[in-house]
Amino acid sequence: MINLDIAFVFQLVNFLVLVLLLNVFLYKPLRKQLADRAAQVAGAKQKSAEVDREVQEKLAAYEARMREIRAGAADERGALKKEAQQQEAAILDKARAEATESLASIKAKVAKEAEEARRVLTASAETLSAEICEKVLGRSL
């Protein structure tokens, strides 16, 4: 029985030494590695969250700047359109004035030429009618 007790004690001591050795050489380094890895993952998550926050801030600033630029462009486009409309109106007014002036000049010229033609035709008509009368009547007037 003592032999069994010694064997049992020996196995118990052997087991305790094995547990102690496994704890020192296997479990503690493994737990340390897992803790380090968990710390790295937590740090990476924190850094990722910071980068994501910075990206969101920059994106919001970019979008705000784009809205400002679009609003400025719309204002400038409106001003340019208004200026173009004013220039168009000025050009049309000038063209109308020139056309009216040209039309008045043409009308005056046509009236003058018509009056000249009437005067010439009247004179020619009188001469022609006198000649016709002479030939018809056969005598001079």
Side-chain angles (χ1 to χ4, degrees), residues 27-86:
Y27 296 132
K28 279 187 181 180
L30 188 60
R31 277 190 234 127
K32 186 176 183 286
Q33 280 283 348
L34 290 175
D36 289 347
R37 186 172 292 164
Q40 284 178 346
V41 168
K45 283 183 180 179
Q46 183 180 4
K47 187 174 182 179
S48 172
E50 290 174 10
V51 168
D52 189 43
R53 182 184 48 79
E54 289 177 11
V55 166
Q56 292 300 325
E57 288 175 359
K58 288 181 180 181
L59 182 63
Y62 171 77
E63 288 174 351
R65 181 72 177 130
M66 286 302 294
R67 281 192 296 275
E68 290 175 9
I69 290 171
R70 284 186 183 120
D75 292 343
E76 189 173 337
R77 186 173 38 248
L80 290 173
K81 187 175 181 180
K82 185 176 181 181
E83 183 181 338
Q85 288 173 340
Q86 289 172 345

Side-chain angles (χ1 to χ4, degrees), residues 124-137 139 141:
S124 293
E126 288 176 8
T127 306
L128 201 56
S129 67
E131 288 176 7
I132 291 173
C133 285
E134 283 178 12
K135 286 188 181 183
V136 168
L137 296 175
R139 57 184 163 156
L141 292 175

